[in-house]
Coordinates of all heavy atoms in Angstrom, one line a residue:
M1 N 1.7 5.3 48.6 CA 1.0 4.4 49.6 C 2.0 3.2 49.9 O 2.6 2.6 48.9 CB -0.3 3.9 49.1 CG -1.0 3.0 50.0 SD -2.6 2.7 49.4 CE -2.8 1.1 50.1
D2 N 2.2 2.9 51.1 CA 3.1 1.8 51.5 C 2.2 0.5 51.5 O 1.2 0.4 52.2 CB 3.7 2.0 52.8 CG 4.6 3.2 52.9 OD1 5.2 3.5 51.9 OD2 4.7 3.8 54.0
D3 N 2.7 -0.5 50.7 CA 2.1 -1.7 50.7 C 2.5 -2.6 51.8 O 3.7 -2.7 52.1 CB 2.3 -2.4 49.4 CG 1.6 -1.8 48.2 OD1 0.5 -1.1 48.5 OD2 2.0 -2.0 47.1
E4 N 1.6 -3.2 52.5 CA 1.8 -4.1 53.6 C 2.0 -5.5 53.1 O 1.2 -6.0 52.3 CB 0.7 -4.0 54.6 CG 0.6 -5.0 55.7 CD -0.7 -4.8 56.5 OE1 -1.7 -4.4 56.0 OE2 -0.5 -5.2 57.7
P5 N 2.9 -6.3 53.6 CA 3.1 -7.7 53.2 C 1.8 -8.5 53.5 O 1.2 -8.2 54.6 CB 4.2 -8.2 53.9 CG 5.0 -7.0 54.4 CD 4.0 -5.9 54.5
L6 N 1.4 -9.4 52.7 CA 0.2 -10.1 52.9 C 0.2 -11.0 54.2 O -0.8 -11.1 54.9 CB -0.1 -11.1 51.7 CG -1.4 -11.9 51.7 CD1 -2.5 -11.0 51.8 CD2 -1.5 -12.7 50.5
S7 N 1.4 -11.4 54.5 CA 1.5 -12.2 55.8 C 1.2 -11.4 57.0 O 0.6 -11.8 57.9 CB 2.9 -12.8 55.9 OG 3.9 -11.8 55.9
D8 N 1.7 -10.1 57.0 CA 1.3 -9.2 58.1 C -0.2 -8.9 58.2 O -0.7 -8.9 59.3 CB 2.1 -7.9 58.0 CG 3.6 -8.0 58.2 OD1 4.0 -9.1 58.6 OD2 4.3 -7.0 57.8
W9 N -0.8 -8.7 57.1 CA -2.3 -8.5 57.1 C -3.0 -9.7 57.6 O -3.9 -9.6 58.4 CB -2.7 -8.1 55.6 CG -4.2 -8.1 55.5 CD1 -5.0 -7.0 55.8 CD2 -5.0 -9.1 55.0 NE1 -6.3 -7.3 55.6 CE2 -6.4 -8.6 55.1 CE3 -4.8 -10.4 54.6 CZ2 -7.5 -9.4 54.8 CZ3 -5.9 -11.2 54.3 CH2 -7.2 -10.7 54.3
A10 N -2.5 -10.9 57.1 CA -3.2 -12.1 57.5 C -3.1 -12.4 59.0 O -4.0 -12.8 59.7 CB -2.6 -13.3 56.8
K11 N -1.9 -12.0 59.6 CA -1.8 -12.1 61.1 C -2.7 -11.2 61.8 O -3.3 -11.6 62.8 CB -0.3 -11.8 61.4 CG 0.6 -12.9 61.1 CD 2.1 -12.4 61.5 CE 3.1 -13.4 60.9 NZ 4.4 -13.0 61.2
R12 N -2.9 -9.9 61.3 CA -3.8 -9.0 62.0 C -5.2 -9.5 61.8 O -6.0 -9.4 62.8 CB -3.7 -7.6 61.3 CG -2.6 -6.8 61.9 CD -2.7 -5.4 61.4 NE -2.7 -5.2 60.0 CZ -3.7 -4.8 59.2 NH1 -4.9 -4.6 59.8 NH2 -3.6 -4.7 57.9
R13 N -5.6 -10.0 60.7 CA -7.0 -10.5 60.5 C -7.2 -11.8 61.4 O -8.2 -11.9 62.0 CB -7.2 -10.9 59.1 CG -8.7 -11.4 58.8 CD -8.8 -12.2 57.5 NE -8.2 -13.4 57.6 CZ -7.9 -14.2 56.6 NH1 -8.2 -13.9 55.5 NH2 -7.3 -15.3 56.8
D14 N -6.3 -12.7 61.4 CA -6.4 -13.9 62.3 C -6.5 -13.6 63.8 O -7.2 -14.3 64.6 CB -5.3 -14.9 62.0 CG -5.4 -15.5 60.6 OD1 -6.5 -15.3 60.0 OD2 -4.4 -16.1 60.1
A15 N -5.9 -12.5 64.2 CA -5.9 -12.1 65.6 C -7.3 -11.7 66.1 O -7.6 -11.9 67.3 CB -4.9 -11.0 65.9
K16 N -8.1 -11.3 65.1 CA -9.5 -10.9 65.4 C -10.5 -12.0 65.4 O -11.7 -11.8 65.8 CB -9.9 -9.8 64.5 CG -9.0 -8.5 64.7 CD -9.5 -7.5 63.7 CE -8.6 -6.3 63.8 NZ -8.9 -5.2 62.8
I17 N -10.1 -13.2 64.9 CA -11.1 -14.3 64.8 C -11.5 -14.7 66.2 O -10.8 -14.8 67.1 CB -10.4 -15.5 64.1 CG1 -10.2 -15.2 62.6 CG2 -11.3 -16.8 64.2 CD1 -9.5 -16.2 61.9
G18 N -12.9 -14.8 66.3 CA -13.4 -15.2 67.6 C -13.9 -14.0 68.4 O -14.6 -14.1 69.4
R19 N -13.7 -12.8 67.9 CA -14.2 -11.5 68.6 C -15.7 -11.5 68.6 O -16.3 -11.9 67.6 CB -13.6 -10.3 67.9 CG -14.0 -9.0 68.6 CD -13.3 -7.9 67.9 NE -11.9 -7.8 68.4 CZ -11.0 -7.0 68.1 NH1 -11.4 -6.1 67.1 NH2 -9.8 -7.0 68.5
L20 N -16.3 -11.1 69.7 CA -17.7 -11.0 69.8 C -18.2 -9.6 69.7 O -17.5 -8.7 70.1 CB -18.2 -11.6 71.1 CG -17.8 -13.1 71.3 CD1 -18.2 -13.4 72.7 CD2 -18.4 -14.0 70.3
R21 N -19.5 -9.4 69.2 CA -20.1 -8.1 69.2 C -21.6 -8.3 69.5 O -22.2 -9.4 69.1 CB -19.9 -7.3 68.0 CG -20.7 -7.7 66.8 CD -20.5 -6.8 65.6 NE -21.3 -7.2 64.5 CZ -21.3 -6.6 63.3 NH1 -20.5 -5.5 63.1 NH2 -22.0 -7.0 62.3
A22 N -22.2 -7.3 70.2 CA -23.6 -7.4 70.5 C -24.3 -6.5 69.5 O -24.0 -5.3 69.3 CB -23.9 -7.0 71.9
V23 N -25.4 -7.0 68.8 CA -26.1 -6.2 67.8 C -27.6 -6.1 68.3 O -28.2 -7.2 68.5 CB -26.0 -6.9 66.5 CG1 -26.7 -6.0 65.4 CG2 -24.6 -7.1 66.1
P24 N -28.2 -4.9 68.4 CA -29.5 -4.8 68.8 C -30.5 -5.4 67.8 O -30.2 -5.2 66.6 CB -29.8 -3.3 68.9 CG -28.4 -2.6 68.9 CD -27.5 -3.6 68.3
L25 N -31.5 -6.1 68.2 CA -32.5 -6.6 67.3 C -33.7 -5.6 67.2 O -34.6 -5.6 68.1 CB -33.0 -8.0 67.9 CG -31.9 -9.0 68.0 CD1 -32.6 -10.3 68.7 CD2 -31.4 -9.4 66.7
V26 N -33.5 -4.7 66.2 CA -34.5 -3.7 66.0 C -35.2 -4.0 64.7 O -34.4 -4.2 63.7 CB -33.8 -2.3 66.0 CG1 -34.8 -1.2 65.8 CG2 -33.1 -2.0 67.3
P27 N -36.5 -4.0 64.6 CA -37.2 -4.2 63.3 C -37.0 -3.1 62.4 O -36.8 -1.9 62.7 CB -38.7 -4.4 63.7 CG -38.8 -3.7 65.0 CD -37.5 -3.8 65.7
G28 N -37.0 -3.5 61.1 CA -36.9 -2.5 60.0 C -35.5 -2.0 59.8 O -34.5 -2.5 60.4
D29 N -35.4 -0.8 59.2 CA -34.1 -0.1 58.9 C -33.9 1.0 59.8 O -33.1 1.9 59.5 CB -34.1 0.3 57.4 CG -34.1 -0.8 56.4 OD1 -33.6 -1.9 56.8 OD2 -34.6 -0.6 55.3
G30 N -34.6 1.0 61.0 CA -34.5 2.1 61.9 C -33.0 2.1 62.5 O -32.2 1.3 62.3
P31 N -32.8 3.1 63.4 CA -31.5 3.2 64.1 C -31.2 2.0 64.9 O -32.1 1.5 65.6 CB -31.7 4.5 64.8 CG -33.1 4.7 65.0 CD -33.8 4.1 63.8
K32 N -30.0 1.5 64.9 CA -29.6 0.4 65.6 C -28.6 0.7 66.8 O -28.1 -0.2 67.4 CB -29.0 -0.6 64.7 CG -30.0 -1.1 63.7 CD -29.5 -2.3 62.9 CE -30.3 -2.8 61.8 NZ -31.7 -2.6 61.8
A33 N -28.3 1.9 67.0 CA -27.4 2.3 68.0 C -28.0 2.0 69.4 O -29.2 2.2 69.7 CB -27.1 3.8 68.0
S34 N -27.2 1.4 70.3 CA -27.6 1.0 71.6 C -28.1 2.1 72.5 O -29.0 1.9 73.3 CB -26.5 0.2 72.3 OG -25.4 1.1 72.5
H35 N -27.6 3.4 72.3 CA -28.1 4.4 73.1 C -29.5 4.9 72.6 O -30.2 5.6 73.4 CB -27.1 5.7 73.1 CG -27.0 6.3 71.8 ND1 -26.3 5.8 70.7 CD2 -27.5 7.5 71.4 CE1 -26.4 6.7 69.7 NE2 -27.1 7.7 70.1
L36 N -29.9 4.5 71.4 CA -31.2 4.9 71.0 C -32.3 3.8 71.3 O -33.5 4.1 71.4 CB -31.2 5.1 69.4 CG -30.3 6.3 68.9 CD1 -30.3 6.3 67.4 CD2 -30.9 7.5 69.5
N37 N -31.8 2.6 71.6 CA -32.7 1.5 71.9 C -32.1 0.7 73.1 O -31.7 -0.4 72.9 CB -32.9 0.6 70.7 CG -33.6 1.2 69.6 OD1 -34.7 1.7 69.7 ND2 -32.9 1.3 68.4
P38 N -32.0 1.4 74.2 CA -31.2 0.7 75.4 C -31.9 -0.5 75.9 O -31.2 -1.4 76.4 CB -31.2 1.8 76.5 CG -32.3 2.7 76.1 CD -32.5 2.7 74.6
D39 N -33.2 -0.7 75.7 CA -33.9 -1.9 76.2 C -34.1 -3.0 75.1 O -34.7 -4.0 75.4 CB -35.2 -1.5 76.8 CG -35.1 -0.6 78.0 OD1 -34.0 -0.7 78.7 OD2 -35.9 0.3 78.2
A40 N -33.7 -2.8 73.9 CA -33.9 -3.8 72.9 C -33.0 -5.0 73.1 O -31.9 -4.9 73.6 CB -33.4 -3.1 71.5
P41 N -33.6 -6.2 72.8 CA -32.7 -7.4 73.0 C -31.6 -7.3 72.0 O -31.5 -6.7 71.0 CB -33.7 -8.5 72.6 CG -34.8 -7.8 71.8 CD -34.9 -6.4 72.2
R42 N -30.5 -8.1 72.3 CA -29.3 -8.1 71.5 C -29.0 -9.5 71.0 O -29.3 -10.5 71.7 CB -28.1 -7.7 72.4 CG -28.3 -6.4 73.1 CD -27.8 -5.2 72.2 NE -27.7 -4.0 72.9 CZ -28.7 -3.1 73.0 NH1 -29.9 -3.4 72.5 NH2 -28.5 -2.0 73.6
A43 N -28.4 -9.6 69.9 CA -27.9 -10.8 69.4 C -26.3 -10.8 69.4 O -25.8 -9.7 69.2 CB -28.3 -11.0 67.9
I44 N -25.7 -11.9 69.8 CA -24.3 -11.9 69.9 C -23.8 -12.6 68.6 O -24.2 -13.7 68.2 CB -23.8 -12.7 71.1 CG1 -24.4 -12.2 72.4 CG2 -22.3 -12.9 71.2 CD1 -24.0 -10.8 72.7
Q45 N -22.8 -11.9 68.0 CA -22.2 -12.4 66.7 C -20.7 -12.6 67.0 O -20.1 -11.8 67.7 CB -22.4 -11.3 65.6 CG -23.8 -11.1 65.3 CD -24.0 -10.0 64.2 OE1 -23.2 -9.2 64.0 NE2 -25.1 -10.2 63.4
R46 N -20.2 -13.6 66.3 CA -18.8 -13.9 66.4 C -18.1 -13.8 65.0 O -18.6 -14.2 64.0 CB -18.6 -15.4 66.8 CG -17.1 -15.8 67.0 CD -17.0 -17.3 67.4 NE -17.9 -17.6 68.5 CZ -17.5 -17.6 69.7 NH1 -16.3 -17.3 70.1 NH2 -18.4 -18.0 70.7
W47 N -17.0 -13.0 65.0 CA -16.2 -12.8 63.8 C -15.5 -14.1 63.4 O -14.7 -14.7 64.2 CB -15.3 -11.7 64.0 CG -14.4 -11.4 62.8 CD1 -13.0 -11.6 62.7 CD2 -14.9 -10.8 61.5 NE1 -12.6 -11.2 61.5 CE2 -13.7 -10.8 60.7 CE3 -16.0 -10.4 61.0 CZ2 -13.7 -10.2 59.4 CZ3 -16.1 -9.9 59.7 CH2 -14.9 -9.8 59.0
N48 N -15.6 -14.6 62.2 CA -15.0 -15.9 61.8 C -13.8 -15.6 60.8 O -13.2 -16.5 60.3 CB -15.9 -16.9 61.1 CG -16.5 -16.4 59.8 OD1 -16.0 -15.4 59.3 ND2 -17.4 -17.1 59.3
G49 N -13.4 -14.3 60.6 CA -12.3 -14.0 59.8 C -12.8 -13.4 58.4 O -12.0 -12.8 57.7
Y50 N -14.2 -13.6 58.2 CA -14.7 -13.2 56.9 C -16.0 -12.4 57.1 O -16.3 -11.4 56.5 CB -14.9 -14.3 56.0 CG -13.7 -15.1 55.6 CD1 -13.4 -16.3 56.3 CD2 -12.8 -14.6 54.7 CE1 -12.3 -16.9 56.0 CE2 -11.6 -15.3 54.4 CZ -11.3 -16.5 55.1 OH -10.2 -17.1 54.9
T51 N -16.9 -12.9 58.0 CA -18.2 -12.3 58.2 C -18.5 -12.4 59.7 O -18.0 -13.3 60.4 CB -19.3 -13.0 57.4 OG1 -19.4 -14.4 57.8 CG2 -19.1 -12.9 55.9
W52 N -19.5 -11.6 60.1 CA -20.0 -11.7 61.5 C -21.1 -12.7 61.5 O -21.8 -12.9 60.6 CB -20.6 -10.3 61.9 CG -19.5 -9.3 62.2 CD1 -19.1 -8.3 61.4 CD2 -18.7 -9.2 63.4 NE1 -18.1 -7.6 62.0 CE2 -17.8 -8.1 63.2 CE3 -18.7 -9.9 64.6 CZ2 -16.9 -7.7 64.2 CZ3 -17.8 -9.5 65.5 CH2 -16.9 -8.5 65.3

């Protein structure tokens, strides 16, 4: 396995900071795929480099 320098990994991670994603607000542990719940409301989450 080729090891990647930590600085290269950090640049890739930092490039994704601020990315947004829409997550359906579905109660319970049911399916959360948008094609299964097309009318479900969505929450917008922003990636901060560690968590959504």
Side-chain angles (χ1 to χ4, degrees):
M1 181 174 149
D2 295 330
D3 287 336
E4 169 183 31
L6 185 58
S7 60
D8 291 348
W9 172 83
K11 286 178 191 175
R12 274 191 304 110
R13 185 198 66 195
D14 291 346
K16 295 178 183 179
I17 292 176
R19 181 174 285 179
L20 302 175
R21 74 175 181 181
V23 180
L25 298 175
V26 179
D29 291 332
K32 298 189 183 335
S34 61
H35 70 283
L36 298 175
N37 297 299
D39 296 328
R42 307 271 191 270
I44 303 298
Q45 298 178 332
R46 182 183 311 268
W47 178 251
N48 69 6
Y50 302 99
T51 62
W52 286 100

